[in-house]
Amino acid sequence: MHSLSPRHFADADAPYDAARYVLFGVPYDGTTSYRSGTRGGPAAIREASLNFESYLVDYDLDLADVPVCDAGDIEPFSLPDAVVAQVEDVVRDICRGGKVPVMIGGEHSITPGAVRAVAPEWYVVCDAHLDLRPEFGGTRDNHACACRRVYDAGVRNIVIIGARSGTREEYAFAQDLHLYTADEVRKRGMSTVVREVAGIVGNARTYLSIDADAVDCCATPGLGTPEPFGLSPSDLRDLVRALAPTVVGFDYVEVCPCDAGQTAAVAARIIRDFIGCHFRHGREESLL
Ligand code: MN
Ligand code: MN
């Protein structure tokens, strides 16, 4: 099912069976609407991970001591619905083993497959875009429909953070969800928003999806659909740290390595932070 990538995510050297975290890549950008290239995201994020110390001072933890397995990449099919099904199968296996899936994209269209496998109580997503279209480009599995597919999968407790782009219909749909726009985050401060979201989610099983374009494209320009006036990398890290303890599935998608490496660096660093924070403070997931 997996092919081993030439480079491993740094310090993710545990064998699959012994791992508590299974990281895998989905080099897929088949429904890209603007700039293609997110298929290069997993390789770029792994490459960027090699730059960082294995010691995480914030958790007094060496990632080399955390059982993380880099299972390599899925070899994606061409059609998006088939890729979503591939992802669902892989994540179901990971969850069955009581492990936490850490998926790196690839475009956002892959997330609903992972969410269906994890079956969380809450879906929290950071994204410049609402991704609530019923269909786009002739498919319901387009990256622009990711959040809508999660909703359709029955996960109705949804928090969207950092959004600043969508159609009138998408914004109307989002009224039934918990929406924190990028402007609202800036006005109220991320610490306030983080406290509020953590309060809403509580101790419930949460899937956390990070679309790299939630961050301002002036800070991290390696994106398929860049948007200015977004979150800062620190905002994003604050949120990931606050929610990590209750997260049972995590992904970081939409890194398009056409920049000088900033976007992949932020992604790799936040993924490492998520794993460290979750290992220190996270819930033990019971076997599904
Ligand atoms: Mn998205
Ligand atoms: Mn987006």
Side-chain angles (χ1 to χ4, degrees):
M1 190 185 313
H2 301 114
S3 66
L4 209 60
S5 292
R7 282 193 191 281
H8 259 201
F9 192 80
D11 308 303
D13 300 320
Y16 184 91
D17 287 343
R20 186 166 167 209
Y21 304 90
V22 176
L23 180 143
F24 67 98
V26 187
Y28 180 71
D29 57 8
T31 77
T32 307
S33 49
Y34 182 62
R35 179 195 290 145
S36 62
T38 51
R39 71 177 61 191
I45 291 169
R46 287 190 179 97
E47 179 75 36
S49 73
L50 302 173
N51 171 52
F52 299 121
E53 295 285 357
S54 63
Y55 179 65
L56 301 178
V57 64
D58 300 291
Y59 313 109
D60 186 22
L61 183 69
D62 199 304
L63 262 189
D65 299 329
V66 178
V68 186
C69 169
D70 183 345
D73 285 344
I74 288 177
E75 288 180 46
F77 294 128
S78 300
L79 293 175
D81 56 324
V83 180
V84 173
Q86 284 180 295
V87 167
E88 184 172 353
D89 282 350
V90 168
V91 174
R92 210 175 284 286
D93 281 350
I94 294 169
C95 292
R96 235 179 240 133
K99 309 170 192 305
V100 178
V102 178
M103 178 168 73
I104 49 180
E107 54 170 52
H108 215 166
S109 54
I110 60 179
T111 295
V115 172
R116 283 207 298 263
V118 169
E121 296 166 81
W122 281 87
Y123 176 70
V124 179
V125 58
C126 296
D127 200 328
H129 310 92
L130 294 175
D131 287 355
L132 287 167
R133 284 179 153 96
E135 72 86 38
F136 194 67
T139 173
R140 289 162 49 82
D141 294 300
N142 194 283
H143 67 95
C145 313
C147 196
R148 184 64 172 266
R149 292 290 84 78
V150 168
Y151 182 89
D152 291 346
V155 182
R156 299 290 158 91
N157 300 317
I158 295 178
V159 184
I160 303 173
I161 301 158
R164 51 202 185 274
S165 173
T167 63
R168 180 178 285 120
E169 291 75 19
E170 286 180 285
Y171 275 102
F173 194 94
Q175 286 185 343
D176 292 337
L177 314 176
H178 299 264
L179 173 61
Y180 294 88
T181 65
D183 279 346
E184 190 175 345
V185 170
R186 192 174 54 256
K187 281 178 193 146
R188 299 180 62 200
M190 192 49 141
S191 57
T192 304
V193 171
V194 159
R195 253 198 316 277
E196 204 166 296
V197 172
I200 293 172
V201 169
N203 197 33
R205 301 173 72 258
T206 299
Y207 189 99
L208 179 57
S209 178
I210 308 297
D211 181 325
D213 63 34
V215 174
D216 195 300
C217 69
C218 303
T220 56
L223 302 164
T225 45
E227 283 277 348
F229 309 114
L231 307 181
S232 73
S234 298
D235 284 342
L236 183 59
R237 192 179 62 167
D238 287 349
L239 180 88
V240 169
R241 285 179 171 178
L243 294 185
T246 193
V247 165
V248 291
F250 179 83
D251 69 49
Y252 205 113
V253 298
E254 295 283 350
V255 171
C256 178
C258 58
D259 58 357
Q262 307 94 307
T263 313
V266 170
R269 194 66 177 82
I270 283 185
I271 290 166
R272 295 169 78 73
D273 212 272
F274 165 73
I275 293 170
C277 187
H278 189 280
F279 189 73
R280 260 293 171 252
H281 307 293
R283 62 194 302 158
E284 287 286 341
E285 181 66 334
S286 55
L287 298 184
L288 290 172

